[in-house]
Amino acid sequence: MGPYVKCLAGIFDIKFSSVPVPAVAALAMVCAALAGCAHKTPITEPPPAVAVPAAWAQGGELGDQEWPDANWWKRFGSAELSQLVDEGQQNNLEIAAALSRVRQAEVQARIAGAPLLPTVDISSGANRQLPLGSNGSANTSASGLLQVGYEIDFWGKNQASRAAAEASLKANRYDRQTVALTVTSGIVSTYLQVLSLHDRLDVARENVANAEHVLTLVEAQSSAGTASPLDLARQRSAVAGQKAAIPNLMQQEREAQSALAILLGRSSQSFKVGNYGLHTINLPDVAPGLPSELLSRRPDIRRSEAQLEAANANVAVARAALFPSIRLTGATGAQSSALLSLFNGPNLLANLGVSLVAPIFDAGLLKGERDLAIAQKQELVQVYRATVMAALSEVDTVLGQIRSLDEQRQLKTTEMEQARFAFNLSEIRYRVGAEDLMTVLDTQRALSDVQNELGLLKLKRLQATVSLYKALGGGWQDGAASSKGV
C-alpha cells in the first residue's frame, strides 16, 4: 500500500473511531492531518546558464566612469528635461496601462491562492404552513446549515498554481519597469531631437543670411556691369533654395514636439518646448560595467526569468492534474419544525464526507496539457537565452557607435572650420573680382552641408548616450526600483 493510501487510511481510521465532534472541527482536524501528507513538488529552478563574456569588446576607454544611476537623465544638465521626465513618468498612458496589468496580476495571484484555503458557506431558510380549512393549526419550520469544503493539495497543484501566478506578477512588475525605462528614454531622445531641430533652424536662417549677403554683392556688381544676369539668377536661386529648407525643418520640429507631448500624456496643441539648442546639454560619460551585471540590472531580463519561473510552475500544475484530487466536505447546522426550538440539542445535525476524483480516460487531454506546458517552458528557456544575448549585443553595439561618432564629430568639426574659412575667403575674393560666383556658391553649399551634418552627428552622439543608458538598464536594480528610479 502506497504512502498516500496509508496516510488516507490512517486519517479515515481517526475519523471513524474518534468521539463525535461537530463537523467543522472534525474537518479542521482532518485537513491538518492531510497537510502532513501533501506532496511537495519543486516548482522553481534557476534560469539556464548563458555564456557571458568577461568584458565588452567595445568597452575600451569608458571603464573609468560610474555605472548609470537611477536619475541618469539629470546628468544632461537640463532642468526642463528633468521636469518633462518627471511629468512623463506620472502621466504617460503606456506606463499607466502597464501599472494596470500589474494590478490585474496581483488579483490573479490572490485568486490562485484561494484554493489553498477551505471554503465556508452558510445557508438558512424558514417556512410557515397555514391550513386552508378550519381544522388544523399553523406550522413553522426553519433550518440553518454551515458548509465547509477543502481540496487536499496532495500533488502540489494548487501550490504550483499560486506560484505560477506570483511569478506572472513579478513578470508584470518587471514589464512595467521595462515600459517606464523605454518611455523615459523616448522622452529624453525626443527632447534632444527637438533641440537639434532648433539648432538646424538657426543654421538654416544663418545660411539664408549668408546667401542674401552674397546676393547684395551680386546685385551691386550687376548694377555696375561687372556681374552677368546669369550670376544674378544663380544667386537668387541659391537664396530661394536656402529659404525652402526652413518650412520643412519647422514641420519636423512640430512633429517632434507632438511626439514628445504624446509621451508626456499631454495634448500637442498646447505644448511647446523652450527655445533652447543642444549647446545647453551636457554630454555625460557612462561606464558599461561588467557584462554579467546586466543579468540583474535590466528589467527585461528579469521579466524573462520570471516568465520562465511561471512556466516551471505551470508544468507542475499540469503534472499534478494527472493524479487524483481529494476533497473533504463538512457541514453542521440545525432544522426544526418549531422556530424557537431551532437550536435545541436534538435538532443539531452534522456530517463529514470525503470524495476522490481520479482521471481514467480523457482521450489524452491531461497528458497533452502536460506536454504543452513542457514545450512552452522549453520555448521560454530559449527566449531567456536570446534576451540575454540580445542585451549583451545591444550594449556592445552602442559602445561601438559612441566611439565611431566621437571620431566622426572630431573630423567633421575640422571640416566645418575649413569650410567656413573657404566661404569667407571666396566671398572676399569675389568682392575684389579675384573669384567667380560659382566658387562662392560651391563654398557656401559646402559650409551649409557640413553644418547640418555636424548638427546631426551631435544629436546622434547624445542619443547614443541615451541608448547606452537604456541598454544598461537605466540604473534600475531589482528590489530597489521606484516610480522614478527607472
Side-chain angles (χ1 to χ4, degrees):
M1 187 163 53
Y4 299 110
V5 177
K6 291 180 179 179
C7 187
L8 283 172
I11 292 170
F12 294 154
D13 288 340
I14 293 173
K15 168 193 165 187
F16 290 119
S17 61
S18 58
V19 296
V21 293
V24 176
L27 179 60
M29 295 173 58
V30 174
C31 291
L34 284 173
C37 307
H39 180 61
K40 303 299 183 181
T41 304
I43 54 180
T44 60
E45 60 184 66
V50 179
V52 178
W56 304 106
Q58 303 293 335
E61 303 170 358
L62 295 176
D64 296 332
Q65 292 80 29
E66 296 181 359
W67 185 279
D69 55 24
N71 298 321
W72 54 269
W73 56 88
K74 293 184 178 180
R75 304 184 73 178
F76 289 94
S78 171
E80 183 181 43
L81 175 59
S82 297
Q83 179 182 353
L84 293 177
V85 169
D86 291 342
E87 180 181 347
Q89 290 179 349
Q90 294 294 325
N91 301 329
N92 180 267
L93 301 180
E94 293 183 15
I95 294 178
L99 182 59
S100 296
R101 290 193 293 271
V102 171
R103 291 170 178 165
Q104 293 174 41
E106 289 175 345
V107 175
Q108 292 290 347
R110 292 200 302 269
I111 293 173
L116 292 172
L117 298 174
T119 60
V120 181
D121 299 314
I122 187 170
S123 61
S124 61
N127 183 43
R128 181 174 178 82
Q129 296 177 344
L130 299 175
L132 297 178
S134 58
N135 297 328
S137 59
N139 183 31
T140 301
S141 64
S143 64
L145 186 67
L146 183 67
Q147 296 177 319
V148 180
Y150 181 72
E151 181 179 353
I152 305 301
D153 195 21
F154 261 111
W155 320 108
K157 180 180 68 174
N158 295 335
Q159 181 185 2
S161 295
R162 182 179 65 178
E166 291 175 347
S168 296
L169 172 59
K170 288 196 296 183
N172 278 276
R173 286 173 175 166
Y174 294 139
D175 180 68
R176 189 262 177 195
Q177 297 297 334
T178 302
V179 171
L181 176 58
T182 301
V183 169
T184 301
S185 301
I187 291 172
V188 177
S189 182
T190 307
Y191 178 79
L192 295 174
Q193 183 180 1
V194 173
L195 267 55
S196 173
L197 287 166
H198 290 172
D199 289 340
R200 293 176 64 187
L201 279 168
D202 290 341
V203 170
R205 295 184 179 106
E206 179 185 348
N207 291 333
V208 170
N210 291 335
E212 289 178 336
H213 177 68
V214 174
L215 177 59
T216 302
L217 294 177
V218 174
E219 288 175 339
Q221 292 185 1
S222 177
S223 299
T226 57
S228 66
L230 178 60
D231 289 342
L232 185 60
R234 282 174 174 170
Q235 188 55 30
R236 285 173 176 170
S237 175
V239 171
Q242 294 292 348
K243 288 183 177 180
I246 294 179
N248 181 43
L249 290 174
M250 293 180 67
Q251 178 60 26
Q252 293 182 42
E253 180 193 25
R254 286 191 291 268
E255 292 175 356
Q257 289 202 115
S258 178
L260 182 56
I262 292 174
L263 289 171
L264 299 177
R266 293 174 57 176
S267 172
S268 59
Q269 285 77 10
S270 59
F271 175 75
K272 187 173 180 60
V273 172
N275 191 23
Y276 307 113
L278 289 181
H279 64 278
T280 62
I281 300 297
N282 298 331
L283 184 59
D285 292 324
V286 57
L290 297 176
S292 58
E293 291 180 283
L294 279 188
L295 302 183
S296 61
R297 286 184 174 266
R298 279 191 49 143
D300 59 335
I301 294 179
R302 301 292 288 141
R303 176 187 60 186
S304 184
E305 289 181 6
Q307 290 173 337
L308 184 56
E309 182 181 344
N312 287 330
N314 286 331
V315 171
V317 172
R319 285 173 176 164
L322 295 170
F323 298 98
S325 60
I326 302 171
R327 182 170 182 83
L328 296 179
T329 58
T332 183
Q335 63 180 12
S336 175
S337 59
L339 184 61
L340 297 179
S341 60
L342 176 65
F343 295 104
N344 289 342
N347 298 315
L348 294 177
L349 302 173
N351 66 74
L352 182 66
V354 60
S355 62
L356 185 147
V357 179
I360 297 178
F361 177 75
D362 59 4
L365 175 63
L366 295 178
K367 290 184 178 179
E369 291 178 346
R370 179 201 59 189
D371 295 340
L372 175 61
I374 293 174
Q376 290 173 337
K377 170 192 169 182
Q378 292 171 346
E379 176 193 2
L380 289 175
V381 168
Q382 305 310 319
V383 169
Y384 171 77
R385 289 173 174 166
T387 301
V388 173
M389 289 188 290
L392 296 171
S393 176
E394 183 181 355
V395 174
D396 218 40
T397 299
V398 175
L399 290 173
Q401 289 175 350
I402 289 176
R403 178 173 299 176
S404 174
L405 289 169
D406 283 340
E407 294 176 358
Q408 293 179 58
R409 286 180 61 230
Q410 183 178 0
L411 295 172
K412 193 62 68 173
T413 300
T414 303
E415 180 183 355
M416 188 192 69
E417 293 172 353
Q418 296 302 314
R420 187 181 297 279
F421 175 77
F423 170 70
N424 293 335
L425 183 60
S426 67
E427 182 185 348
I428 295 173
R429 288 173 61 84
Y430 176 76
R431 187 181 299 116
V432 299
E435 203 67 73
D436 60 10
L437 181 62
M438 287 301 298
T439 302
V440 178
L441 292 177
D442 289 341
T443 55
Q444 182 184 6
R445 188 180 303 109
L447 176 60
S448 175
D449 291 343
V450 74
Q451 284 177 320
N452 285 326
E453 292 171 1
L454 184 59
L456 290 174
L457 283 174
K458 185 173 183 180
L459 173 63
K460 289 181 179 178
R461 177 60 175 84
L462 286 167
Q463 289 182 331
T465 304
V466 176
S467 298
L468 182 58
Y469 277 126
K470 179 184 175 184
L472 294 174
W476 177 87
Q477 294 186 52
D478 191 11
S482 64
S483 60
K484 294 187 179 181
V486 293

